[in-house]
Amino acid sequence: MAVTRQDFEDAVAAYWGAKQTQRELSAIKDAVGVGTAGAVRGGKHFDDIAALLAKFFLEAGYSPQDIRINKSQGLELPGYYRPTKQWDVVVAHANTLVAAFELKALGGPSFGNNYNNRIEEALGSAMDLRRTTLADFFPGEKPWLGYFFIMEDAPGSRSAVRISEGAFSVEDIWHGASYQDRFSIFCQRLMTEGLYDAVCYITSSAAEPKPNEPMRALDWQHFAAAINARITYLKDLGLPRSGGVLPVDL
């Protein structure tokens, strides 16, 4: 079965511990080896979202061995400014990096504590890998990068953030913006600059896990369509080379 909107909403609810893993996602996690992921992720929050992303590629004929969501499977990819960088989901087939995903979140109550860290992580990861592509570290088709981000929906993330200006003026777009607004701007610019090929940005909370999507261009529908477009593009080029068969009855 194709990935559905309900799959997405269930995976986000599971992130908050608000929903038990459904049978299908549980089977996918077993198939691609996420059973021990909690011990290496520092928590299981993103396990169901990783399994949801894996589902796209399993159903497209990629084997479980092509899909890595567990540190023990080797999530490191070569860098240019550093030896390696560990991603959250890696799909590799033959000599092509089919897809690599960053799965990140920002929660409260003090959203400012890790806000800059999240910005720098996303920029650094993408820029490093894009530079390795220019250096021909990936011999197959051009790598494809996805970024999935959950902002906790809370008063602290919805309120305008005060800006301290120095010797030069800050761009007008940032004035009066909340952390939720800031991430909308940031994620949109990640796409505009071509640092990531697809971005999904949502807000959600443990009390209200149903995802909100602040910008249509960054919603789940667009994100899923971009993943499917990548799969179709590689399929037209003959990838995966040997059609895989799902190892479980989904």
Side-chain angles (χ1 to χ4, degrees):
M1 295 176 60
V3 176
T4 67
R5 172 78 188 189
Q6 191 61 53
D7 290 334
F8 162 59
E9 294 188 3
D10 288 349
V12 173
Y15 170 87
W16 296 106
K19 186 179 181 67
Q20 290 290 328
T21 300
Q22 59 166 299
R23 183 187 69 84
E24 183 178 8
L25 288 183
S26 180
I28 291 172
K29 287 192 290 185
D30 290 340
V32 297
V34 77
T36 59
V40 297
R41 286 177 186 274
K44 297 183 178 181
H45 298 305
F46 275 112
D47 281 3
D48 287 80
I49 293 169
L52 182 64
L53 297 175
K55 184 179 179 184
F56 283 96
F57 299 95
L58 283 170
E59 294 190 340
Y62 290 89
S63 82
Q65 289 71 39
D66 291 332
I67 304 165
R68 303 174 184 218
I69 55 179
N70 186 328
K71 184 177 179 180
S72 66
Q73 298 169 310
L75 291 168
E76 289 81 10
L77 292 174
Y80 186 81
Y81 301 103
R82 53 188 165 183
T84 62
K85 195 285 179 191
Q86 187 178 107
W87 291 71
D88 293 301
V89 178
V90 172
V91 184
H93 180 82
N95 63 354
T96 291
L97 177 56
V98 175
F101 294 90
E102 284 273 82
L103 312 178
K104 299 297 180 185
L106 182 63
S110 183
F111 290 89
N113 285 348
N114 288 312
Y115 167 71
N116 283 331
N117 289 339
R118 295 294 176 266
I119 299 292
E120 290 162 9
E121 288 166 356
L123 288 173
S125 296
M127 293 177 69
D128 197 21
L129 193 138
R130 294 301 186 195
R131 186 62 183 84
T132 63
T133 303
L134 293 175
D136 294 327
F137 286 18
F138 298 98
E141 298 301 319
K142 180 181 176 182
W144 187 99
L145 304 181
Y147 185 66
F148 185 99
F149 192 88
I150 299 177
M151 169 77 73
E152 183 181 0
D153 187 25
S157 67
R158 293 192 295 265
S159 303
V161 182
R162 180 177 173 274
I163 294 177
S164 298
E165 295 199 43
F168 299 92
S169 297
V170 175
E171 187 180 1
D172 288 344
I173 195 171
W174 301 111
H175 289 284
S178 65
Y179 283 113
Q180 290 192 20
D181 297 330
R182 286 184 175 193
F183 254 88
S184 288
I185 297 165
F186 171 63
C187 289
Q188 187 176 34
R189 290 181 173 184
L190 287 178
M191 292 280 290
T192 300
E193 295 295 320
L195 291 172
Y196 288 87
D197 297 285
V199 174
C200 184
Y201 167 55
I202 66 169
T203 66
S204 180
S205 68
E208 296 290 340
K210 187 171 182 177
N212 301 306
E213 296 156 298
M215 293 191 69
R216 175 153 172 73
L218 304 173
D219 67 10
W220 173 254
Q221 184 178 19
H222 282 74
F223 191 66
I227 295 172
N228 284 322
R230 172 63 169 177
I231 289 170
T232 298
Y233 173 81
L234 292 179
K235 181 180 178 181
D236 288 347
L237 296 175
L239 297 177
R241 287 178 183 159
S242 57
V245 177
L246 288 178
V248 289
D249 183 10
L250 300 179

